[in-house]
Amino acid sequence: MTIHIGLIGGGNITETHARAARAIPGVEISAIYGANAEKTARLCREFGGIPYQDFDAFLKHRPMDLVIIGSPSGLHAEQGIAAARQGLHVLTEKPIEVSTARADALIASAKQSNVRLGVIFQDRTKPHIRQLKNWLDQNLLGKVLFVDARVKWYRPPEYYANSRWRGTHALDGGGALINQGVHTVDLLLWLLGNVVGVQARTATLLHKIEAEDTAVATLEFASGALGIFQATTAAYPGYPRHVEISGTAGTVILEHDRIIAVNLRNPTAAVQLAGLIESPKDENQSASSAAVSDFRGHQAVLEDFLAAIQENRAPACDGLEGRRSLALIESIYRAAKTPDRVATL
């Protein structure tokens, strides 16, 4: 059975969604909606589908089973709710929205319309990160004590200057934290569990934007573990994401989403790393570029979402799961604005 997909956005990430969809047998792109007529028409010529600049007309296009949202973050709920009311399943880019109130409205609408809602956090699908998740679930690191996560990326001035929405509170929800840092916030919650306390500081140190381009937070996890999280788009020339997790029985270090060091009290467990050495590398240069040329992670998310629809189950990252990172980011922003820089969840 052919699955018909509609794409919302028309920008760079929509092209990634198109490439991911076209790589899956039995999937066709039916329609693409975007504000830029030239870009939308080009995408349709390359990947198929009918171009639309009228959003209501786009939603009525048939056949269409689901939409993938790649528009500015502050439009996700509005567009997702409209799609759900048309009986379309909704898969949206991260973050799910720019506020938990809007995210809750989208989650409620999808439930009321009896459609699936998923959030794209493709890093969860990467082999080395999944291996680390497996080791943590097996307690091979013992009791987790500390995590150090650094997203020291760089975006040139034109990244913001040439965009009407990046770095704005209304459409981006913030800056480096909610846009670039959100993937790592999601991973920390997925790997280590809920955060119950936050201390934070944000600043706009380089770019001429409304929101922050640098954020630092100290995290207290429900497990008792502590963490330091840094996110910036001002660190020239940009460095690979670094996540280091230490426990009573070992330490594992991720860099550019690959395990680069494993030191376990039980060294025999490290042999599980052998099968990962030849696993495909992520070719995206996220540290210095917003372009997503390697679509395999998005393809894996979409494949899971399609299976969830067919099997009548929740996708790997549904609306409630996708909301968790947004709620923590809200707390970090709230802490940064309070006199003592502290917030609780």
Side-chain angles (χ1 to χ4, degrees), residues 185-201:
V185 172
D186 174 73
L187 283 185
L188 294 180
L189 293 169
W190 187 56
L191 293 171
L192 303 176
N194 291 334
V195 170
V196 296
V198 171
Q199 292 179 301
R201 183 74 181 263

Side-chain angles (χ1 to χ4, degrees), residues 26-257:
V27 170
E28 290 187 6
I29 297 171
S30 291
I32 303 177
Y33 166 79
N36 186 308
E38 182 180 346
K39 287 184 178 180
T40 306
R42 180 188 64 79
L43 287 171
C44 288
R45 287 194 300 270
E46 187 170 352
F47 299 103
I50 305 299
Y52 285 90
Q53 277 69 60
D54 184 313
F55 188 61
D56 291 334
F58 163 81
L59 290 179
K60 291 181 173 63
H61 180 93
R62 294 296 181 272
M64 193 157 70
D65 303 299
L66 66 107
V67 298
I68 306 178
I69 301 177
S71 56
S73 305
L75 299 177
H76 291 179
E78 176 185 341
Q79 294 175 335
I81 289 170
R85 288 174 176 169
Q86 292 292 327
L88 300 168
H89 302 285
V90 178
L91 179 61
T92 183
E93 265 296 334
K94 59 74 187 173
I96 185 173
E97 244 289 351
V98 299
S99 74
T100 51
R102 292 187 185 184
D104 289 342
L106 175 55
I107 292 167
S109 180
K111 182 177 181 180
Q112 183 177 12
S113 299
N114 195 31
V115 298
R116 295 296 170 195
L117 171 62
V119 184
I120 299 174
F121 279 111
Q122 71 273 13
D123 292 349
R124 294 185 181 202
T125 71
K126 296 176 180 177
H128 285 233
I129 292 175
R130 295 190 67 83
Q131 179 64 84
L132 176 55
K133 169 70 169 170
N134 182 263
W135 287 344
L136 289 165
D137 289 346
Q138 293 181 56
N139 201 37
L140 294 184
L141 273 68
K143 177 179 172 59
V144 175
L145 304 173
F146 187 76
V147 58
D148 179 15
R150 304 194 295 273
V151 185
K152 298 176 69 174
W153 290 356
Y154 179 73
R155 295 292 183 265
E158 56 269 24
Y159 171 80
Y160 294 106
N162 295 341
S163 171
R164 67 182 178 88
W165 68 276
R166 290 180 177 134
T168 68
H169 293 297
L171 291 176
D172 209 356
L177 177 59
I178 197 170
N179 192 313
Q180 286 76 20
V182 65
H183 280 292
T184 306
V185 172
D186 174 73
L187 283 185
L188 294 180
L189 293 169
W190 187 56
L191 293 171
L192 303 176
N194 291 334
V195 170
V196 296
V198 171
Q199 292 179 301
R201 183 74 181 263
T202 61
T204 309
L205 302 177
L206 176 64
H207 299 98
K208 295 179 180 179
I209 56 176
E210 292 179 2
E212 86 293 342
D213 62 12
T214 303
V216 179
T218 301
L219 309 176
E220 179 186 354
F221 291 84
S223 66
L226 299 177
I228 293 177
F229 174 67
Q230 304 173 52
T232 184
T233 54
Y236 183 85
Y239 298 88
R241 174 171 64 183
H242 183 99
V243 178
E244 185 171 328
I245 301 176
S246 295
T248 56
T251 292
V252 175
I253 301 175
L254 282 171
E255 194 160 276
H256 197 50
D257 304 333

